[in-house]
Amino acid sequence: MSVTLQKRLWRAVAEGDEYGAVDVLSGALADGLDEETLLLDVIAPVQEKVGAEWAADRITVAQEHAATAINERAMAALAHRGQDAVGRPPHRGRVTVACIDGEWHAFPARLVSETLRLRGWQVDYLGAQTPTPHLIAHLHGTNPDAVLLSSSIPTHLPTAHGAITACQAVGAPVMAGGLAFGPKGRWARALGADEWAADARGAAAALEAGLSRPRPAALRQAVDDLPHLADQEYTLVVQNRARLVRGTLSDLEERFPAMRSYTDEQRERTAEDVAHIVQFLATALYMDDADLFTAFLSWTAGILEARNVPARSLLAGLDILAGQLHDFPRALALIRDGTGVLADRPARPVPGSETPA
């Protein structure tokens, strides 16, 4: 039944039909399907499909935003309809759910919040990009049993690290969740999180099992958890990020004169791509993890290929960046790993060309 409902909900979402989406869920409720199943086995997979369709260049950014908004409204409508339901589980405790500062992808956090409410938790849902000082002020006023921090983009990991240690310093245990924290939560553990959950059901199970409340202590420094930061490579790359981006763009134009005829929009997109490379390089330095950088490059290559841009165009940018970072051994090692991953990708012909890109 869930697969059929997913198809019906996807059809409504793809057509921009908010009322149709709500009707699909309302009808399923009337047929006896429970709210948690609708949240996690119908709405969540459809939202994943929204992201996949954008990555494959089958829907535009605007369509992706519209689809996400409809899914959010449908989820809210489902939650509101359920408020009058009887037989809810007893109150379990109070938790705070928030996105890391800078994280705009709030859908996963909202999904977790609604699931926990169904399980009997009082949830303070703080939404997207919650500044850490405001989060801590909220904790002082509410004293929750746990804080659940969500992030989808790995470049927010340094900010997440600060938020985790700040919450623990006031005695609140922290559960991390979201794609930003890596496969099986490996980066959540590296940052000192008390728990990690792969999904909403996992988060609920971990809370029900109980999280140990840390003893309030002095705020840890980042280097206490990540000793490699003592070499200052991360700090220096972040401080010189704008210069690195400008230098890379300038050298790219020298190597590829065709860039001089780019439109303003093309120049802006290219600058964004280079800035993202530098940001992910810096984050990989922070975590001292090559997989973080190479996974981003592989993902970016797939995005470019879906838009008929040769993925190997990234190699020139990496080469120029390496030239600017010749005194940074860890950064150079990361760039070598990234270059190897891209060089090993099979060349794909760009439509309309005679030879592989």
Side-chain angles (χ1 to χ4, degrees):
M1 179 179 287
S2 294
V3 173
T4 300
L5 288 171
Q6 288 173 21
K7 291 179 179 178
R8 292 175 58 201
L9 181 60
W10 167 252
R11 191 178 306 114
V13 165
E15 293 173 356
D17 184 1
E18 178 181 327
Y19 294 102
V22 173
D23 285 344
V24 169
L25 300 174
S26 299
L29 271 179
D31 290 339
L33 208 60
D34 66 278
E35 296 150 77
E36 184 173 306
T37 297
L38 288 174
L39 284 171
L40 304 184
D41 298 332
V42 179
I43 296 177
V46 168
Q47 184 60 26
E48 289 179 10
K49 183 176 176 64
V50 170
E53 291 295 294
W54 169 81
D57 200 30
R58 288 191 286 265
I59 62 174
T60 66
V61 171
Q63 289 172 315
E64 182 266 333
H65 285 187
T68 299
I70 290 173
N71 263 337
E72 288 175 339
R73 294 285 293 273
M75 181 163 51
L78 179 65
H80 292 162
R81 284 179 63 90
Q83 292 304 305
D84 296 330
V86 296
R88 291 207 173 277
H91 177 70
R92 294 180 182 273
R94 185 172 190 174
V95 297
T96 296
V97 179
C99 292
I100 296 299
D101 194 7
E103 179 60 70
W104 283 100
H105 297 84
F107 193 94
R110 180 67 184 275
L111 197 67
V112 169
S113 296
E114 297 303 335
T115 301
L116 294 180
R117 287 191 178 110
L118 290 172
R119 297 283 187 104
W121 293 90
Q122 179 182 347
V123 181
D124 298 327
Y125 170 65
L126 306 187
Q129 60 159 20
T130 305
T132 300
H134 295 291
L135 171 62
I136 299 306
H138 178 79
L139 301 185
H140 280 301
T142 58
N143 190 32
D145 296 287
V147 179
L148 283 71
L149 297 178
S150 175
S151 185
S152 298
I153 309 297
T155 51
H156 297 138
L157 286 173
T159 303
H161 195 187
I164 289 168
T165 56
C167 291
Q168 292 169 334
V170 299
V174 177
M175 184 188 305
L179 295 176
F181 294 99
K184 298 183 179 180
R186 65 198 250 187
W187 299 323
R189 297 183 180 90
L191 298 181
D194 299 288
E195 186 58 81
W196 169 81
D199 52 31
R201 288 191 175 101
L207 285 174
E208 289 162 14
L211 271 64
S212 299
R213 186 177 289 271
R215 179 178 299 176
L219 191 66
R220 299 193 312 277
Q221 300 299 312
V223 73
D224 295 331
D225 292 325
L226 305 171
H228 55 267
L229 292 177
D231 68 9
Q232 296 293 300
E233 285 201 34
Y234 164 76
T235 301
L236 292 170
V237 168
V238 169
Q239 289 176 346
N240 291 281
R241 182 166 48 200
R243 179 182 62 79
L244 291 169
V245 172
R246 285 197 303 270
T248 302
L249 288 171
S250 176
D251 283 4
L252 276 174
E253 191 166 296
E254 288 296 320
R255 293 194 188 192
F256 303 105
M259 282 185 61
R260 298 168 190 167
S261 61
Y262 273 15
T263 65
D264 288 343
E265 182 178 359
Q266 287 175 312
R267 287 181 176 276
E268 185 178 349
R269 296 289 86 77
T270 303
E272 287 177 352
D273 288 342
V274 173
H276 287 150
I277 291 173
V278 174
Q279 286 177 323
F280 272 85
L281 176 65
T283 306
L285 287 170
Y286 191 90
M287 302 304 302
D288 197 31
D289 195 318
D291 288 347
L292 193 155
F293 189 52
T294 57
F296 161 73
L297 290 174
S298 294
W299 178 84
T300 301
I303 296 294
L304 291 175
E305 288 169 344
R307 287 150 180 78
N308 300 325
V309 178
R312 290 185 177 226
S313 62
L314 295 168
L315 291 171
L318 291 178
D319 185 53
I320 294 169
L321 196 55
Q324 298 181 82
L325 295 171
H326 53 82
D327 291 328
F328 293 68
R330 283 204 298 128
L332 288 177
L334 290 170
I335 292 173
R336 282 195 299 271
D337 287 338
T339 298
V341 166
L342 292 176
D344 289 341
R345 289 179 66 87
R348 298 184 182 182
V350 175
S353 65
E354 295 293 328
T355 58

